[in-house]
Amino acid sequence: MSFQVFGIPVSRGVAIGRAVLVASSRVDVAHYFIAPDQVEAEIQRAVRARDEVAHELTALRDDLPEDAPHELAALLDVHLMLLHDEALTGATKQWIVDRHYNAEWALSAQLEVLARQFDEMEDEYLRERKADLEQVVERILGALAREQGKAPVDASSVVQRDFAGEDPLLLVAADIAPADMMQFKRSVFHGFITDIGGKTSHTAIVARSMDIPAVVGTREASRLIRQDDWVIIDGDLGAVIVNPSPIVLEEYRFRQRQSELERARLARLRHTPAVTLDGERVELQANIELPADAAAAVDAGATGVGLFRSEFLFMNRNGELPSEDEQFEAYRAAVEAMKGMPVTIRTVDIGADKPLDRMSASELRHEHVLNPAMGLRAIRWSLAEPSMFRQQLRAIYRASAYGKLRLLIPMVAHLSEIRQVSETLKRVQQQLTDAGQAFTPVELGVMIEIPAAAVMLPLLLPHVDFISIGTNDLIQYTLAIDRADEAVAHLYDPWHPAVLQLIASSIGQARAAGKSVSVCGEMAGDPAFTDLLLAMGLRNFSMHPSQIPSVKQRVLRADASRLAEALPQLLESPDPQRTAALLLTSKRGNTPMQ
């Protein structure tokens, strides 16, 4: 039966494929693909874990005292029966063989299939056996975790599979942790669907960075969609169509082909300089997360890296921080890959939606109790961990000897934070000088993502070389909206007058002070805001490489001076989005807005 689920569209386009469910579990489950030559070994892992659990259950049953209730022995027999049931063990093996899932993922995928079958049984006694099945599976997952020493999966080990001739896969989950997203980023999924999240949740950002359709905040998708269902993701409307009819399927396949043709057309702009109709040069830079992403930035025609999110070097490491040398090699690789173009490295922004598994028990406890977006994160965490912070800064400065580097400090709200950073930089430079390490001058910048920073910008500007406006958090903090919470996602409004006035004021003050300014939040990569940001005087945009062609097209068709004439009226409007549609259209160059 065909049905639809609706959510928040966060990455445009159409994706068609079979659903892959990542089910929630009380036991942490690693999700990754294995290489073809690892299939048999992975099956044996599952078999050994099952046999270990069978031995445990048998020993428990055999050791029951004589006066133990008969029901207890019967329950253990039920668990043993479920443990050896071909519907569980045989199908788990098939997931490993057919999909190349790791054993944990295969087992949890089959649990999801069987659990739904139990839910549909009319007999109440049989329905309640689902709890027994879950207990058995969690015992097996526990055995698998013990065998692995609970070691996380190294992102570099995730296998790139060639699915030529096979059905495309779409990932469906209640939510996807950033660490998992970094693994799936190197994987085979053609689209994402999650129950929770908003337009700037991490899942949404990564989906856009991969240039694949995604719908978040569906609330019920992971419960309603079954493993292997045929699914269409309409990333433009925020619709998910499950088991579509042949007519609907063909219509969406046509839209897919049209989208591919448009991408190919835009790709021809790659080497065209981004210059407005009135001759204003605009820098279109890239946001990256790992050094390997720099190649895509160059290929897309980026004129530099406006945001290197260094925190992703700290993830999936089982609590171990990257060494100074390891960070240095990563930063140097990114700098060298950009071939002389500038690279802006943001110091580690751990916290909020990107917790670090190394955090202490007390910090993790606070992460669950309090609002992590307003807790010990970003520069606050760095200043609280001075040894770690100095290590990162040394690595960045060492990499500066290989190209143009800029240093960006996130979540600044106090002038004292910049002063502490400056003192730390002096100490780091002296350490490198004493050690005979080469480095070159590094420009210092701050992110404007807290309203306090935007309001006190005149006090900050004398102490920095540039600013970068992080619109995602700036909107979140200005409007008091948790951007990952779908319950209030409709209130997350980039067009809110207060947001626009803070952005326009920050750009204007930086330019008046002779300091460079960029926008590296999601607004920079959204063509709907290109004209508006040009009108505000922005000449440096930073976005994911996949978004550069469409933004460049808007720049090439814009007359910046004429757009600027419309800005005062727009900022005074109670409905900026509607006003922008009218004013900016009338102030564009001869080519109409598209």
Side-chain angles (χ1 to χ4, degrees), residues 49 56 96 139 159 284 348 373 377 394 424 446 541 550 590:
E56 291 173 357
I96 297 172
R139 278 184 172 270
V159 177
L284 300 182
V348 60
R377 56 167 290 204
R394 284 195 300 269
T424 304
V446 294
F541 296 64
S550 56
N590 296 327

Side-chain angles (χ1 to χ4, degrees), residues 360-374:
S360 67
S362 63
E363 287 172 322
L364 288 173
R365 189 159 57 247
H366 283 289
E367 287 284 321
H368 294 300
V369 174
L370 304 177
N371 184 346
M374 297 186 181

Side-chain angles (χ1 to χ4, degrees), residues 474-475 478-479 491-505 523 529 532 536 567-579:
L474 183 61
I475 297 166
T478 302
L479 303 181
L491 298 174
Y492 184 93
D493 183 13
W495 290 101
H496 192 286
V499 172
L500 298 187
Q501 288 173 25
L502 285 174
I503 295 172
S505 172
M523 285 176 68
F529 292 97
L532 175 64
M536 291 178 177
L567 187 63
Q569 188 175 348
L570 189 152
L571 293 178
E572 294 169 2
S573 170
D575 186 1
Q577 187 170 11
R578 184 174 180 275
T579 304

Side-chain angles (χ1 to χ4, degrees), residues 448 450-460 474 502 505-506 509:
I448 305 301
I450 297 178
V455 172
M456 64 177 288
L457 194 54
L459 298 178
L460 291 174
L474 183 61
L502 285 174
S505 172
S506 298
Q509 289 184 70

Side-chain angles (χ1 to χ4, degrees), residues 195-206:
D195 294 347
I196 67 175
K199 280 186 175 291
T200 55
S201 63
H202 192 76
T203 301
I205 292 172
V206 174

